[in-house]
Amino acid sequence: MSKTPTFKTILFTALSITITACTNSTKTSQTIPIGIAFAQTSNVALLGQEGSNGAKIAEKYFNDQGGINGTPIKLIFQDTGGEEQGAINAFQTLINKDKVVGIIGPTLSQQGFSAHPVADRAKVPVVAASNTAKGIPEIGDYVARVSSPASIVAPNSVKAALKQNPNIKKVAVFYAQNDAFNKIETEIFQKTVKDLGLEVVTVQKFQTTDTDFQSQATNGINAKPDLIIVSGLAADGGNLVRQLRELGYKGLIIGGNGLNSSNVLKVCKASCDGLIIAQAYSPQHPGKINKAFRDMYFQQYKVEPPQFSAQAFTAVQVYVEALNELDKKTKISTLQLPKIREDLNKQMLAGKYDTPIGEISFTPIGEIVQKDFYVAQIKMEKDGSAGKFEFIK
Ligand code: 1QQ
């Protein structure tokens, strides 16, 4: 084989040199690198994709506004896939090779419990944008999140279901037992149901890799529930909802945060109609920044921005505003990378942000403080070809 470098290898080498030059020492930097570790492949990409979309809108929006006092940010994407190891690898690459100032991700709490400690040990800030399980900010000083915990968000959907059908008494609960977030979310749902004076008539378990839910769905329906609650991810959760309808279940169904993506519509199609899902974002949220985000998002993707996109935009915003504050105090370009990461982490936690998901701040351990929550219900075309999330609260 010829040793002469092809155009592709020359281009690749040139690119990696540029990135290294930008990031090794910020003295020569023309951009400030922020790492994005979302699932771009595997079943989890159904959820990770919307996060990436929101982050890209934020990159353009904030760079159009001048970036960090004139220096643009550059998002560096590393695919985590759907497993823990992929998230660890993506974090390590972003930290050691891409030399980012901070990381956004990973998609699942299940992945975060493995990957966040890697960033924490390296003293690299992480803002999780879709991890909602209990215990995420507690992982370490460098781990914060802009995705409100399921304990605050999920109960709103049960209250909304009761409002639609005040006669609900019996509830069947389904959850994916191989996923950390879904195990926690189902506990929250079950507690909410009991606190509201309703009865959990059956608890059915499945795996996020399952495609056939006949036996669990039949068991669930046989318990004669007036409400079914599903804690799973988009592919498995969507298939379960479809099979419940095919087996004749007619009552209300609530989906948890793992079904909170328009990608679920492709899975359950017409059977998604009526599915209720709690939200930590509404496209109708008032304010200038949400309007700008919503307009840009709609122009780019021709749909209203979903929750995971709004949360990813917010995570980028937190970094941009904290970096701007930092740069005003001491020019970032005069600092070494470890110092930037350390100061950025402190600055981020101290700030208040007016974002598309409303005004937010952080507790000292990095938990989000957010005010507004919503509930949406899926409305499908009769033929199942298209649908949308309608906000009911
Ligand atoms: C978590 C979640 C996921 C379902 C979001 C994609 O909330 O893993 O914490």
Side-chain angles (χ1 to χ4, degrees):
M1 214 175 93
S2 156
K3 288 251 168 66
T4 322
T6 59
F7 174 69
K8 208 168 151 193
T9 53
I10 295 170
L11 186 70
F12 180 74
T13 317
L15 264 181
S16 33
I17 289 167
T18 318
I19 290 170
T20 323
C22 291
T23 57
N24 245 352
S25 147
T26 36
K27 282 201 184 100
T28 56
S29 99
Q30 295 127 2
T31 58
I32 296 180
I34 297 171
I36 309 284
F38 286 141
Q40 295 168 33
T41 53
S42 84
N43 262 351
V44 183
L46 295 180
L47 301 162
Q49 189 186 48
E50 289 180 345
S52 300
N53 289 351
K56 283 180 196 154
I57 296 289
E59 183 180 38
K60 173 152 182 21
Y61 176 79
F62 291 108
N63 281 341
D64 285 352
Q65 307 230 320
I68 313 304
N69 297 321
T71 306
I73 57 160
K74 180 169 176 50
L75 299 186
I76 302 184
F77 289 81
Q78 292 296 349
D79 178 18
T80 62
E83 305 291 330
E84 292 88 326
Q85 193 56 48
I88 292 172
N89 295 347
F91 270 47
Q92 280 170 339
T93 305
L94 289 168
I95 293 166
N96 301 315
K97 178 175 155 280
D98 301 325
K99 305 207 183 304
V100 298
V101 295
I103 297 174
I104 296 171
T107 303
L108 302 181
S109 293
Q110 174 75 30
Q111 298 173 300
F113 285 119
S114 298
H116 291 316
V118 172
D120 193 60
R121 281 195 295 274
K123 297 196 176 3
V124 177
V126 193
V127 178
S130 59
N131 299 168
T132 63
K134 184 176 157 192
I136 292 288
E138 289 82 355
I139 289 171
D141 291 347
Y142 282 80
V143 183
R145 67 173 159 195
V146 294
S147 40
S148 277
S151 55
I152 294 181
V153 184
N156 296 314
S157 57
V158 184
K159 288 170 201 155
L162 264 179
K163 218 167 149 190
Q164 275 191 14
N165 178 8
N167 298 322
I168 293 171
K169 297 273 179 307
K170 297 199 247 170
V171 184
V173 172
F174 292 69
Y175 76 96
Q177 59 178 335
N178 61 331
D179 179 82
F181 158 72
N182 283 306
K183 282 199 286 196
I184 288 171
E185 194 193 51
T186 194
E187 280 173 27
I188 293 156
F189 275 129
Q190 291 180 45
K191 181 172 185 306
T192 306
V193 163
K194 288 172 197 155
D195 288 352
L196 289 167
L198 313 176
E199 185 192 353
V200 177
V201 287
T202 179
V203 178
Q204 297 291 323
K205 300 173 197 169
F206 58 93
Q207 307 276 332
T208 52
T209 45
D210 287 349
T211 52
D212 179 354
F213 301 92
Q214 295 297 306
S215 84
Q216 293 99 325
T218 305
N219 291 342
I221 292 169
N222 285 345
K224 305 223 175 318
D226 317 303
L227 170 68
I228 287 179
I229 306 181
V230 176
S231 289
L233 299 179
D236 46 302
N239 271 318
L240 171 55
V241 168
R242 186 171 51 74
Q243 290 174 33
L244 283 164
R245 292 300 186 205
E246 284 168 0
L247 287 169
Y249 175 70
K250 298 255 179 325
L252 284 172
I253 306 180
I254 289 173
N257 202 40
L259 284 80
N260 197 359
S261 158
S262 49
N263 286 321
V264 96
L265 310 187
K266 297 176 207 150
V267 185
C268 45
K269 302 204 171 81
S271 305
C272 302
D273 193 61
L275 186 65
I276 294 173
I277 305 179
Q279 305 290 328
Y281 169 70
S282 162
Q284 282 108 42
H285 185 83
K288 212 170 114 214
I289 185 120
N290 186 43
K291 183 172 181 334
F293 166 60
R294 187 181 177 186
D295 289 351
M296 278 179 82
Y297 196 96
F298 196 86
Q299 205 176 8
Q300 178 85 31
Y301 302 110
K302 309 291 176 238
V303 290
E304 291 281 13
Q307 174 199 270
F308 293 130
S309 300
Q311 289 172 324
F313 180 101
T314 299
V316 175
Q317 182 179 355
V318 165
Y319 276 125
V320 167
E321 292 187 8
L323 284 163
N324 265 307
E325 281 306 307
L326 210 59
D327 196 65
K328 272 186 222 153
K329 290 184 209 155
T330 320
K331 276 268 150 236
I332 291 175
S333 54
T334 65
L335 300 174
Q336 294 294 314
L337 185 56
K339 178 76 176 146
I340 299 174
R341 287 167 167 173
E342 186 189 333
D343 290 358
L344 174 58
N345 192 53
K346 284 193 199 127
Q347 182 65 49
M348 242 167 46
L349 292 177
K352 264 207 174 86
Y353 309 86
D354 180 14
T355 77
I357 64 171
E359 265 181 19
I360 63 161
S361 59
F362 296 100
T363 69
I365 65 154
E367 181 63 283
I368 183 176
V369 180
Q370 184 182 359
K371 296 193 187 87
D372 301 309
F373 300 98
Y374 309 86
V375 179
Q377 187 162 31
I378 294 176
K379 182 87 199 107
M380 295 300 297
E381 301 288 338
K382 276 266 172 316
D383 64 359
S385 60
K388 58 174 191 259
F389 284 71
E390 284 184 349
F391 281 71
I392 57 175
K393 185 206 155 237

